[in-house]
Amino acid sequence: MSVDVEGDLRRATVYYDSLAGADGDELVLEALSEARGRLQRAIGAQARVKRTPELVFKPDDVARGAARLEEVLRSLHDDE
């Protein structure tokens, strides 16, 4: 969904979501963790930097909150 990179490029927080929502977090996090090394190597090759940031994966609570808000607003509209 989005990525926040620290100014010194030591760490990049990758925010993710899945079609299963919070129920799928454990499975998605496991898959991303297993692929972390390959992803970091690919980033390093494309960005052509000496040091690639350590990738940290977190669920995107902002996207989920926005989806929930949209769902509530839609249900209010349907009630009219």
Side-chain angles (χ1 to χ4, degrees), residues 26-39 55 57:
E26 190 173 323
L27 185 61
V28 171
L29 183 56
E30 184 179 319
L32 289 171
S33 295
E34 288 177 10
R36 177 181 285 124
R38 290 187 306 271
L39 292 168
L55 299 179
F57 303 103

Side-chain angles (χ1 to χ4, degrees), residues 22-74:
D23 293 337
D25 281 352
E26 190 173 323
L27 185 61
V28 171
L29 183 56
E30 184 179 319
L32 289 171
S33 295
E34 288 177 10
R36 177 181 285 124
R38 290 187 306 271
L39 292 168
Q40 284 183 212
R41 282 190 295 278
I43 291 168
Q46 290 182 20
R48 296 185 179 100
V49 293
K50 289 183 181 181
R51 173 184 228 154
T52 58
E54 172 193 0
L55 299 179
V56 178
F57 303 103
K58 294 185 178 183
D60 190 344
D61 294 328
V62 173
R64 291 179 182 171
R68 175 67 182 133
L69 178 59
E70 187 175 321
E71 180 182 309
V72 168
L73 291 173
R74 199 174 308 122

Side-chain angles (χ1 to χ4, degrees), residues 2-30:
S2 66
V3 178
D4 286 335
V5 181
E6 292 180 357
D8 60 4
L9 300 178
R10 290 192 183 271
R11 179 172 295 146
T13 303
V14 179
Y15 295 96
Y16 68 87
D17 200 3
S18 72
L19 295 176
D23 293 337
D25 281 352
E26 190 173 323
L27 185 61
V28 171
L29 183 56
E30 184 179 319

